[in-house]
Amino acid sequence: MSTPPNRSQDEVSTSDWFWTLLILSIPVLNLIMAVYWALSSHTKPSKKNFFLASFLWVFVLLGLALVAAFFQYAVKA
């Protein structure tokens, strides 16, 4: 399949994002595929960076939730 002259090989197409969003709407499969896209060397760089950033946000928010739970527990004690 040839690439249009103004499109890079690393660019994620609209149809690729369409299928990505469809897969992300399926429970359990979405987690498996998100990990695959984040860690795979076959994933296009922009898509890989998107999922790595998504996991970074998950860890940041999880950390904030743990800090909030700790302070909630400490206030009650």
Side-chain angles (χ1 to χ4, degrees), residues 38-57:
L39 302 177
S40 174
S41 61
H42 302 293
T43 304
K44 294 181 181 180
S46 60
K47 189 186 245 188
K48 182 175 185 159
N49 288 338
F50 174 80
F51 285 104
L52 287 172
S54 297
F55 282 117
L56 183 60
W57 272 112

Side-chain angles (χ1 to χ4, degrees), residues 4 8 15 18 21 49 65:
S8 166
S15 64
F18 174 84
L21 292 173
N49 288 338

Side-chain angles (χ1 to χ4, degrees), residues 3-76:
T3 304
N6 61 350
R7 182 172 285 176
S8 166
Q9 285 285 64
D10 292 337
E11 185 176 332
V12 182
S13 67
T14 304
S15 64
D16 194 16
W17 279 119
F18 174 84
W19 292 110
T20 300
L21 292 173
L22 179 67
I23 290 170
L24 290 176
S25 69
I26 302 170
V28 180
L29 180 61
N30 59 0
L31 297 173
I32 294 167
M33 291 306 296
V35 170
Y36 172 77
W37 286 321
L39 302 177
S40 174
S41 61
H42 302 293
T43 304
K44 294 181 181 180
S46 60
K47 189 186 245 188
K48 182 175 185 159
N49 288 338
F50 174 80
F51 285 104
L52 287 172
S54 297
F55 282 117
L56 183 60
W57 272 112
V58 166
F59 292 129
V60 166
L61 294 174
L62 181 62
L64 289 173
L66 290 173
V67 168
F70 172 76
F71 282 117
Q72 183 72 16
Y73 176 76
V75 169
K76 287 185 179 182

